Amino acid sequence: MNCKKASRLLSTYQDRELNSALEQEVELHLRDCRACRTEWRGLQELVGSLKLLPPPAADPHFPAKVMAGLQVKRAGKFRLLPAAAYALVFLTIFLSGFFLQLSFDSAARTEKPQAATFTAVLLENQGLRLQAVHDNTLIIFAW
Amino acid sequence: MTDDEIISAVLAGRRQDFEILIRRYSGKIIHFITRMTQDRDEAQSIAQEVFLKVFQNLPYYRKENNFSAFIFKIAKNMTLNWLNREKRTVFFSRLLQRELDKAHFRQEPPRYSLHDPNEREIEITRNLLLLPEEQRLALILKVYLEFSYKQIREITGWSIPKIETLISRAKSRLKKNIGLQERSREFVLNARKK
């Protein structure tokens, strides 16, 4: 084995991931080659330095915190209920404002819609309806 | 009780048994995330999220697989997501020049003497963070978690030659950056002269 090949295999040799034949070849080369032996020592020194970093201190309450998190997550399924209630209130305000305005508009034009049905009024006042939706949206956003 | 037995119990309704798995793996998971992020507080909160996600995904865990790889795969994905979010945050905040106004940008970078063990620790931590993400991930899984290349392959999905290359490059880069490279090169040259 030459130095180039040995140098390439040193990291894997250090990680004990070479097959036994290659491992023996590297060992033999290291025994004979001073330069590669020095490189090997450098690698050993590096990994030694890396292992100097201590593992973070364990938090004894960590498992309890995760278990509490699991409970909250489970309870979280029912959080949809208040959200639905808010949506319902929002929709009620929006629609009531819309129909209120529509009834004011049709009352103001009493001569026209006497014979007209509610649907006809809706179709006739298409422009007004859009205006009403627009106004209500503005009111709700302002609110 | 093996991991698989605990998982079966949890899936059968004994939720409290999940705590055994948390106690078994939390140290390693927090260690892994801390080394990847170099932020102990964030590591705790990411680790909590990891365990919640593991719990949610327990029904999809297959017994023929290794539970350790399953949990570390989730931890790896969540940590990389966090790191990507961080990168974006730093990018945009720098774009807005907020970071440039902070005091530490105006000061001279601290100089460490590597003789003090604490300073050496800081230097190693800093250099680990400077490694490309894939190299750092492979090296941390090997050096700190002591996983075999096969286990790393299960966690990351990379091929073994790729893992070998990543770890080897990470070591070379660290050697160079930490200052060991120069010293060992001198030794090599001296040795070759003799």
Side-chain angles (χ1 to χ4, degrees):
Chain A
M1 183 178 280
N2 58 27
C3 286
K4 197 178 170 187
K5 191 177 177 188
S7 175
R8 212 182 58 228
L9 291 175
L10 276 182
S11 166
T12 317
Y13 171 71
Q14 186 182 36
D15 294 338
R16 299 187 166 278
E17 295 278 350
L18 287 180
N19 62 44
S20 53
L22 272 178
E23 204 173 274
Q24 275 187 343
E25 274 189 59
V26 173
E27 274 166 11
L28 273 175
H29 182 83
L30 284 178
R31 212 173 292 163
D32 298 335
C33 177
R34 198 170 175 171
C36 289
R37 215 162 44 235
T38 312
E39 202 177 330
W40 164 243
R41 274 197 212 112
L43 268 181
Q44 293 283 75
E45 199 180 328
L46 171 79
V47 172
S49 303
L50 289 176
K51 292 209 171 182
L52 279 179
L53 293 186
D59 174 7
H61 306 297
F62 182 80
K65 281 182 195 167
V66 178
M67 291 307 283
L70 284 181
Q71 298 297 332
V72 172
K73 206 114 187 170
R74 206 183 184 197
K77 283 178 188 170
F78 302 100
R79 281 183 189 171
L80 279 175
L81 203 62
Y86 282 128
L88 196 67
V89 170
F90 180 82
L91 204 67
T92 311
I93 294 168
F94 183 81
L95 288 176
S96 62
F98 168 62
F99 283 114
L100 205 64
Q101 189 143 358
L102 201 67
S103 64
F104 279 141
D105 290 340
S106 54
R109 300 170 175 218
T110 41
E111 68 281 4
K112 263 191 184 176
Q114 269 172 1
T117 60
F118 184 68
T119 321
V121 173
L122 273 178
L123 290 169
E124 203 172 283
N125 297 333
Q126 188 70 17
L128 284 169
R129 191 162 68 105
L130 285 171
Q131 186 59 42
V133 169
H134 177 253
D135 291 347
N136 283 328
T137 314
L138 284 180
I139 290 163
I140 286 162
F141 274 119
W143 176 67
Chain B
M1 224 175 164
T2 65
D3 290 348
D4 286 349
E5 284 167 353
I6 296 167
I7 292 162
S8 301
V10 174
L11 290 175
R14 287 177 56 88
R15 288 163 60 97
Q16 68 273 23
D17 284 2
F18 189 65
E19 197 169 334
I20 305 171
L21 285 179
I22 301 171
R23 289 190 188 280
R24 201 170 279 178
Y25 286 98
S26 59
K28 283 181 183 176
I29 292 287
I30 293 171
H31 192 186
F32 165 68
I33 303 172
T34 308
R35 290 284 153 262
M36 282 298 290
T37 60
Q38 304 298 354
D39 186 330
R40 288 181 189 194
D41 296 331
E42 276 301 334
Q44 291 269 342
S45 92
I46 297 169
Q48 278 194 37
E49 291 297 318
V50 167
F51 281 102
L52 294 180
K53 189 127 190 170
V54 167
F55 184 81
Q56 285 171 345
N57 285 286
L58 274 188
Y60 309 109
Y61 166 69
R62 288 178 188 171
K63 280 185 183 170
E64 59 265 27
N65 295 337
N66 183 355
F67 182 69
S68 171
F70 174 77
I71 191 169
F72 269 94
K73 198 184 259 184
I74 291 175
K76 177 212 77 171
N77 290 339
M78 295 189 81
T79 309
L80 292 183
N81 286 345
W82 183 86
L83 287 169
N84 285 336
R85 272 201 308 274
E86 272 298 287
K87 266 188 232 161
R88 279 200 293 274
T89 313
V90 170
F91 173 77
F92 283 112
S93 60
R94 281 192 183 165
L95 204 68
L96 293 166
Q97 293 200 323
R98 279 184 203 154
E99 292 287 317
L100 295 171
D101 294 328
K102 285 184 183 169
H104 62 265
F105 271 93
R106 281 186 254 118
Q107 286 167 356
E108 276 286 297
R111 291 178 190 281
Y112 304 106
S113 73
L114 298 180
H115 303 294
D116 183 335
N118 282 337
E119 283 166 357
R120 176 107 199 177
E121 235 174 66
I122 295 167
E123 188 69 13
I124 293 166
T125 307
R126 211 165 57 111
N127 280 297
L128 266 177
L129 210 54
L130 288 174
L131 285 177
E133 221 163 71
E134 287 190 339
Q135 287 183 18
R136 183 158 26 118
L137 177 63
L139 188 80
I140 288 168
L141 288 173
K142 182 69 216 171
V143 173
Y144 293 105
L145 281 307
E146 296 179 343
F147 281 126
S148 68
Y149 286 2
K150 273 186 187 169
Q151 285 170 313
I152 298 175
R153 184 180 61 184
E154 271 185 70
I155 295 166
T156 58
W158 298 329
S159 67
I160 291 198
K162 181 176 175 173
I163 295 164
E164 265 179 36
T165 311
L166 285 172
I167 294 176
S168 172
R169 284 187 186 161
K171 285 177 187 171
S172 303
R173 194 183 277 239
L174 278 177
K175 253 170 86 177
K176 190 177 167 191
N177 292 352
I178 293 175
L180 294 169
Q181 185 82 5
E182 283 309 308
R183 205 141 38 102
S184 59
R185 194 173 288 158
E186 275 175 27
F187 277 127
V188 172
L189 286 174
N190 287 338
R192 283 198 176 132
K193 275 176 197 168
K194 285 173 190 174

